[in-house]
Amino acid sequence: MQLSEQELLRRENLQKLREMGIDPYPAEAVEVTAYAREVQEGFNDEGGEPQNFQQVRLAGRLMGSRVMGKASFAELQDGSGRIQLYIARDEICPGEDKELYNTVFKKLLDIGDFIGVEGFAFRTRMGEITIHVRELKLLSKSLHPLPVVKRDEEGNVYDAFTDPEQRYRQRYVDLTVNPHVKEIFLKRSKLISAMRRFFDGRGWLEVETPALQPVHGGAAARPFKTFHNTLEIPLYLRIANELYLKRLVVGGFEGVYEIGKMFRNEGMDRTHNPEFTSMEIYVAYKDYNWMMGMVEQLVEYVAQEVTGHTKVEYEGKMIDFAGPYRRLSMYDAIQEYTGTDISGMDESALRSLCRQLGIAVDDSMGKGKLIDEIFGEKVEEHLIQPTYIIDYPIEMTPLAKKHRSKPGLVERFELFVNGKEIANAYSELNDPLDQRQRLEDQLRLAERGDFEAMAMDEDFLRSLEYGMPPTSGLGIGIDRLTMLLTDQHSIQEVLFFPQMRPQRGSIYEPEKKQEEGSE
RNA sequence: GAGCCCGUAGCUCAGCCGGCUAGAGCACUUGACUUUUAAUCAAGGGGUCCUGGGUUCGAGUCCCAGCGGGCUCACCA
């Protein structure tokens, strides 16, 4: 490995520290008594007399220094933010030996090193709250030069670390130097905890179901396939957990939810990562009408908790998450945006309508798929404010209950925001014979060439035969909801480690890497 | 999968129509400076110009192939 000049220098500094008897990676715990933000926000020096933080210990990364001879200013960044340090030579080196200041601090410490300081807070002549350092200790040496991002008084950023490839591959660097990036992930975490709070508060149970499944079901998507060596069977990474959660409802849990990773072996783009996080919830004795009310409360609550508001700006558009949301049937929505009533049309009429509207179709598309195409092409983009689209054609929804009064439809809704689906829910199909029939229809679609059609799951059918109470279920894409609430336009910006092609030389050659039995 | 764009110092970028030893700011090194803040001042070091071919007297620049990334579209929740 070729080291750059700066990397070599840091390794030399490391060596010199060791020669001076300073352990660059000491083992002891550090007793931190204050955080940067806490001091910045809470420091009180009314009347010119410092009132608090007069004996504090902080730890963090050294992010910059301005040396002025026998005194220096430096930036310390901890988990909460940044604070300035004031380091005077004769303060940290009270005796004759000025090595700690002259050599260790000025020469051997580098930007990015973790240090611990002890001292007191004061306000400089320029008005900046600062820690006057009395003791300084190296906690961990950094061997790689960190990009130095500078900001001036107007907040202009210079030399930002912006290359998406490097930011995603070295997210640790991105998080260290780009505070706004950290903010997005804090919000993501808040979103998930708010959602948990909301569900737990209603007495629903968080559960975990298998990610490795012998039959991939519950959604229309292509799976990742793997192999279990002991069982000697192929397994699939789950594309959905719906069928397992329903088994739990069969077993008597009346409200269950799971927040977890799903895996889909499909294309990647701005809104798709091969693994993503979904929240699914099933509540017994409820229907999709009830669920629409619940989702309004949930989304409004989450938006409030994450952003502090129910109105959120996305791509320059103000989106209001306060309920109730507009409810529009799929047929009415298509009529509204195309002027055509498709409620009575059969497959061939729909196919010719698609051609008329300039939508590409092929023979593998059934009635449901054709309607979905029209909707996706002509309606979706108009649904900016939160809108429920309800009552979908039965052909495209094999796991939802038939509509109580509208033949040919199922009790399903999707929530659209800014032209994108963010939630999907049904009155769940609990008629085992109907369910068997629908899955058999899926098999026929598969034979027609639709390789995303669902597979038969006999154990799931058996569970329904034991009896599942009337139940409503909901799925929400956590990544996409996070994007909406943080005004991010790429899924990569809300995933710590989005999937990337491996860098050359960063992994073993495929032959060596290939484990026995995997494919 | 297709089209377009990008890849030059640790970071952000310039480098014209192919032509001197490949540049700038920050970062880094040396020196000065005890309340600075994009600290300042002086001097200095640092390059696999993504990789491999080709054209040419001469390639960072032009051509071909590949690798990686971004955007758009397609596919897809």
Side-chain angles (χ1 to χ4, degrees):
Chain A
M1 184 173 58
Q2 195 85 340
L3 293 177
S4 72
E5 183 191 36
Q6 292 194 44
E7 290 168 321
L8 287 169
L9 274 161
R10 283 172 181 239
R11 279 168 164 76
E12 280 170 24
N13 289 347
L14 177 83
Q15 190 52 38
K16 286 178 192 160
L17 285 163
R18 286 211 160 106
E19 284 163 8
M20 292 176 74
I22 295 170
D23 181 357
Y25 302 103
E28 314 91 84
V30 181
E31 195 200 340
V32 172
T33 64
Y35 297 98
R37 181 197 295 244
E38 182 190 358
V39 178
Q40 291 281 12
E41 290 175 354
F43 179 63
N44 180 355
D45 59 345
E46 270 173 48
E49 270 306 300
Q51 308 288 320
N52 54 0
F53 299 118
Q54 294 308 289
Q55 164 86 41
V56 290
R57 188 173 291 112
L58 294 88
R61 268 192 207 273
L62 182 66
M63 293 302 284
S65 65
R66 297 176 284 279
V67 177
M68 293 163 305
K70 299 182 188 67
S72 301
F73 288 92
E75 300 288 330
L76 183 77
Q77 174 172 298
D78 67 14
S80 72
R82 281 195 188 191
I83 193 159
Q84 179 168 263
L85 305 178
Y86 175 73
I87 301 167
R89 188 192 68 183
D90 297 337
E91 297 263 356
I92 64 167
C93 305
E96 286 302 301
D97 179 7
K98 306 299 183 189
E99 284 272 280
L100 178 62
Y101 183 80
N102 286 339
T103 307
V104 177
F105 172 70
K106 277 170 68 176
K107 301 248 197 285
L108 303 182
L109 288 194
D110 293 296
I111 287 177
D113 289 351
F114 281 90
I115 58 171
V117 297
E118 190 277 328
F120 59 90
F122 77 110
R123 195 182 294 272
T124 65
R125 222 182 271 163
M126 304 300 287
E128 175 120 0
I129 295 166
T130 301
I131 302 296
H132 188 129
V133 175
R134 283 186 298 239
E135 283 175 31
L136 171 73
K137 187 182 184 200
L138 174 63
L139 300 179
S140 180
K141 186 92 192 101
S142 165
L143 297 180
H144 238 74
L146 219 45
V148 176
V149 182
K150 297 210 169 191
R151 289 169 187 78
D152 67 13
E153 283 169 16
E154 286 87 51
N156 298 314
V157 176
Y158 300 83
D159 302 317
F161 181 62
T162 52
D163 177 17
E165 179 170 1
Q166 293 206 71
R167 286 184 46 232
Y168 304 149
R169 288 196 196 280
Q170 301 186 54
R171 184 68 94 179
Y172 34 89
V173 176
D174 190 28
L175 290 165
T176 302
V177 304
N178 289 327
H180 56 280
V181 172
K182 203 168 172 185
E183 200 57 41
I184 292 166
F185 290 100
L186 287 173
K187 284 183 171 172
R188 181 183 173 117
S189 181
K190 276 186 186 171
L191 184 160
I192 292 172
S193 66
M195 209 172 252
R196 283 209 168 93
R197 234 176 0 261
F198 184 94
F199 293 147
D200 293 347
R202 281 160 178 74
W204 300 323
L205 187 73
E206 181 166 12
V207 299
E208 294 177 278
T209 63
L212 289 172
Q213 303 178 347
V215 179
H216 58 283
R222 300 170 77 171
F224 288 92
K225 193 178 184 183
T226 184
F227 186 83
H228 191 277
N229 290 343
T230 301
L231 292 176
E232 295 188 302
I233 52 166
L235 287 171
Y236 300 93
L237 273 66
R238 65 180 171 187
I239 56 173
N241 52 359
E242 171 157 358
L243 305 187
Y244 283 95
L245 291 170
K246 285 179 179 172
R247 286 169 168 95
L248 297 180
V249 177
V250 168
F253 289 111
E254 295 178 351
V256 289
Y257 73 95
E258 179 170 16
I259 296 172
K261 285 284 181 71
M262 303 299 150
F263 307 87
R264 298 190 181 178
N265 204 344
E266 293 173 340
M268 296 162 59
D269 62 23
R270 221 171 59 259
T271 56
H272 297 82
N273 194 66
E275 58 183 293
F276 63 98
T277 303
S278 97
M279 190 295 302
E280 293 222 1
I281 182 164
Y282 292 81
V283 183
Y285 311 115
K286 304 297 184 190
D287 65 6
Y288 78 143
N289 290 313
W290 172 87
M291 186 64 88
M292 280 188 264
M294 192 275 264
V295 170
E296 280 161 2
Q297 291 176 36
L298 171 70
V299 172
E300 181 173 339
Y301 174 75
V302 164
Q304 180 74 41
E305 290 291 300
V306 170
T307 68
H309 306 89
T310 57
K311 288 194 174 73
V312 175
E313 188 171 321
Y314 192 80
E315 291 178 334
K317 288 165 277 194
M318 197 53 81
I319 291 169
D320 188 356
F321 288 101
Y325 305 149
R326 188 180 181 207
R327 300 181 184 190
L328 194 59
S329 83
M330 166 138 290
Y331 287 169
D332 288 347
I334 289 175
Q335 178 146 23
E336 180 167 327
Y337 292 101
T338 67
T340 308
D341 178 10
I342 62 160
S343 57
M345 288 187 179
D346 62 11
E347 187 174 317
S348 68
L350 286 165
R351 186 164 279 122
S352 58
L353 175 62
C354 280
R355 291 208 186 87
Q356 196 185 311
L357 293 170
I359 299 166
V361 291
D362 67 60
D363 290 343
S364 79
M365 292 177 177
K367 189 175 164 184
K369 185 78 180 159
L370 291 166
I371 293 171
D372 193 32
E373 287 293 315
I374 297 169
F375 179 80
E377 207 59 36
K378 297 295 170 188
V379 181
E380 267 186 22
E381 58 184 306
H382 302 289
L383 308 175
I384 303 302
Q385 295 302 319
T387 305
Y388 288 127
I389 297 297
I390 67 175
D391 299 343
Y392 284 65
I394 192 165
E395 294 84 352
M396 46 199 284
T397 316
L399 300 171
K401 190 177 270 193
K402 280 178 181 151
H403 198 283
R404 64 195 73 183
S405 62
K406 298 176 184 168
L409 301 182
V410 291
E411 296 201 351
R412 171 187 186 183
F413 73 83
E414 291 188 307
L415 175 60
F416 284 85
V417 180
N418 195 47
K420 308 260 164 49
E421 178 233 315
I422 65 158
N424 181 21
Y426 317 143
S427 295
E428 300 296 338
L429 178 54
N430 62 346
D431 174 341
L433 302 180
D434 187 5
Q435 183 67 83
R436 179 174 293 278
Q437 186 63 47
R438 301 263 207 104
L439 289 177
E440 281 169 1
D441 292 345
Q442 286 291 305
L443 289 184
R444 273 189 287 283
L445 278 182
E447 283 159 17
R448 251 170 100 169
D450 182 351
F451 41 8
E452 284 169 354
M454 266 176 228
M456 185 61 71
D457 185 335
E458 285 294 342
D459 178 69
F460 169 63
L461 287 171
R462 180 169 60 190
S463 77
L464 290 189
E465 286 164 11
Y466 277 100
M468 183 173 84
T471 298
S472 186
L474 163 76
I476 292 182
I478 296 295
D479 312 284
R480 292 185 186 177
L481 186 58
T482 305
M483 288 167 66
L484 267 177
L485 294 181
T486 57
D487 199 11
Q488 293 304 313
H489 312 131
S490 163
I491 198 169
Q492 297 172 111
E493 295 292 349
V494 302
L495 298 170
F496 274 129
F497 304 105
Q499 196 57 245
M500 311 265 296
R501 255 196 186 81
Q503 270 173 305
R504 208 167 39 154
S506 66
I507 55 167
Y508 296 113
E509 294 303 309
E511 296 80 37
K512 295 182 193 163
K513 184 178 154 269
Q514 191 77 25
E515 296 271 333
E516 157 196 9
S518 65
E519 53 172 66

